[in-house]
């Protein structure tokens, strides 16, 4: 499948995964993949920017106001380049990535201001009563954030909007909140907003969910359960499942270290070295077997395509690690039927 076409299938992609499986890292890799394909991307975080700044080489956090994470490049004359967009002005090669944070409080202030209650919203902020109002109706905080996301999507400010959603347990509640409000509210602007959010989530041209897991038993169990709940309770389209942190399969791990050294023309290891090498090979072999079982089980229990991303042997992830992950993600997309 063409990477650009895949990234344009839905205007909003919600990245969902259990805590610790690399959901935010996959969000950054997807943004980079889309930008490398020439798209203008907006990454949206909830509450705070978390680990996203470091993944784009920034030392400072970002907030409600948009910041440019990847500036991209522009051809001086797209027509002269003869590529896509020829005759229509400058083109990005590659695309751009911007980031911003959405919070329930800011979404509520904007909601009140949009409905002629700007003065009321300012007084709520000044008095500290905003939290009381935002929690008065169950699910309203989540719905307001999604309503703001819907406004961003409708405004067409980016080719692709990527939401780094809460961890899976909270993500289901987050995405089902608007449906509950639409059913509970009898009428008025709140119900209208909730219905519009539900409409966006259920329209595959506008929104899809990208599930992230790791090749381990508990994350696989959770992603399977989450997938079926999202389909049943939200009706959102599910994209491929990204299996993050996969060890590259190595052959010959059962070989005797001394014999392998001799065959390679290297000095034979000492007895202690050979013991450590054999222990490392056994660990890697067990890990590969575990990984294979969990990936096969995931494929059997969840009828969705899988994209595997490599395990990176580094203590901290930054911009240098995101690029190879983006390349692996692009290769996985291209391999999809």
């Amino acid at each position: 499948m063409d990477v650009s076409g895949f990234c344009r299938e839905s205007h909003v992609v919600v990245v969902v995964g259990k805590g610790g499986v690399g959901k935010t890292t996959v969000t950054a890799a997807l943004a980079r993949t889309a930008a490398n394909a020439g798209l203008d991307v907006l990454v949206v975080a909830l509450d705070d920017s978390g680990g996203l700044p470091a993944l784009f080489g920034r030392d400072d956090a970002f907030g409600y106001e948009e910041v440019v994470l990847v500036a991209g490049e522009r051809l001086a004359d797209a027509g002269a380049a003869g590529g896509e967009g020829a005759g229509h002005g400058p083109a990005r090669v590659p695309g751009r990535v911007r980031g911003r944070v959405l919070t329930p409080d800011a979404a509520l202030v904007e909601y009140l201001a949009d409905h002629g209650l700007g003065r009321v919203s300012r007084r709520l902020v000044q008095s500290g009563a905003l939290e009381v109002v935002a929690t008065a109706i169950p699910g309203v905080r989540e719905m307001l954030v999604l309503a703001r996301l819907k406004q961003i999507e409708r405004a067409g400010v980016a080719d692709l909007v990527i939401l780094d959603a809460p961890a899976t347990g909270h993500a289901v509640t987050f995405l089902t909140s608007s449906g509950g409000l639409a059913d509970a509210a009898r009428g008025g602007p709140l119900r209208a907003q909730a219905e519009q959010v539900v409409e966006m989530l259920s329209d595959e041209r506008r929104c899809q969910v990208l599930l992230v897991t790791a090749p381990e038993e508990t994350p696989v169990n959770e992603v399977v359960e989450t997938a079926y709940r999202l389909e049943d309770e939200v009706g959102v389209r599910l994209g491929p499942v990204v299996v993050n942190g996969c060890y590259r399969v190595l052959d010959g791990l059962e070989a005797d270290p001394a014999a392998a050294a001799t065959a390679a023309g290297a000095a034979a290891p000492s007895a202690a070295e050979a013991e450590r090498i054999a222990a490392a090979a056994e660990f890697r072999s067990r890990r590969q077997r575990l990984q294979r079982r969990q990936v096969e089980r995931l494929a059997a229990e969840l009828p969705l395509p899988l994209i595997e991303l490599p395990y990176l042997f580094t203590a901290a992830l930054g911009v240098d690690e995101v690029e190879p992950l983006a390349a692996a993600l692009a290769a996985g997309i291209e391999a999809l039927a």
Side-chain angles (χ1 to χ4, degrees):
M1 176 179 289
D2 175 68
V3 174
S4 177
F6 172 85
C7 294
R8 294 180 187 274
E9 282 186 338
S10 300
H11 200 186
V12 175
V13 172
V14 182
V15 183
V16 174
K18 178 181 171 60
V21 300
K23 170 177 63 68
T24 298
T25 303
V26 171
T27 297
L30 176 61
R32 192 80 184 200
T33 300
N36 288 343
L39 276 70
D40 189 356
V41 184
L42 176 63
V43 177
V44 176
L46 299 180
D47 296 325
D48 61 67
S49 57
L52 282 169
L55 294 170
F56 288 97
R58 295 176 62 97
D59 296 326
D60 55 324
F62 56 85
Y64 189 77
E65 299 299 325
E66 283 186 10
V67 298
V68 175
L69 301 174
V70 177
E73 302 171 1
R74 298 183 74 85
L75 293 175
D77 185 358
E84 184 177 354
H88 297 284
R92 288 178 299 275
V93 183
R96 178 175 61 161
V97 180
R98 291 165 289 148
R100 66 174 301 180
V101 173
L102 292 183
T103 66
D105 290 350
L108 177 56
V109 169
E110 284 200 3
Y111 176 82
L112 293 173
D114 290 344
H115 289 81
L117 298 173
R119 182 177 299 178
V120 172
S121 68
R122 288 191 293 271
R123 287 193 176 183
L124 287 173
V125 172
Q126 292 167 1
S127 67
L130 193 64
E131 181 71 17
V132 177
V133 175
T135 56
I137 305 173
V140 72
R141 294 170 64 89
E142 293 83 359
M143 189 280 293
L144 288 169
V145 170
L146 285 168
R148 183 71 186 103
L149 183 69
K150 180 259 303 178
Q151 290 177 331
I152 292 171
E153 184 263 338
R154 274 302 189 204
V157 298
D159 298 323
L160 176 65
V161 180
I162 305 174
L163 175 64
D164 186 13
T168 47
H170 299 293
V172 174
T173 302
F174 175 72
L175 293 172
T176 56
S177 59
S178 299
L181 276 175
D183 292 337
R186 293 184 177 181
L190 196 61
R191 174 168 181 160
Q193 286 282 2
E195 289 177 338
Q196 290 170 21
V197 169
V198 171
E199 182 182 347
M200 177 189 73
L201 293 176
S202 59
D203 186 344
E204 65 179 35
R205 296 167 301 179
R206 299 176 64 189
C207 185
Q208 69 172 295
V209 166
L210 187 75
L211 292 164
V212 182
T213 189
E216 300 169 9
E217 184 174 3
T218 299
V220 167
N221 289 342
E222 189 160 326
V223 81
V224 171
E225 179 185 354
T226 300
Y228 285 109
R229 285 193 64 189
L230 288 175
E231 277 195 332
D232 294 341
E233 300 177 29
V234 183
V236 67
R237 175 190 177 186
L238 300 180
V241 178
V242 176
V243 187
N244 191 35
C246 293
Y247 278 55
R248 183 169 63 88
V249 176
L250 300 178
D251 297 323
L253 293 174
E254 71 286 349
D256 176 72
T262 301
S270 66
E273 290 171 336
E275 185 177 351
R276 289 195 292 271
I277 292 171
E282 175 57 25
F283 170 82
R284 184 64 175 255
S285 181
R286 287 199 306 271
R287 176 70 190 191
Q288 290 179 181
R289 291 195 298 271
L290 168 67
Q291 176 178 296
R292 183 174 64 255
R293 285 198 303 271
Q294 296 306 322
V295 171
E296 289 175 352
R297 182 167 72 89
L298 177 59
E301 296 184 12
L302 198 58
L304 293 170
L306 306 181
I307 296 177
E308 297 183 17
L309 297 187
Y311 184 91
L312 300 181
F313 292 87
T314 179
L317 296 177
V319 65
D320 291 337
E321 288 73 35
V322 169
E323 190 57 43
L325 289 176
L329 183 58
I333 291 170
E334 289 172 346
L336 297 175

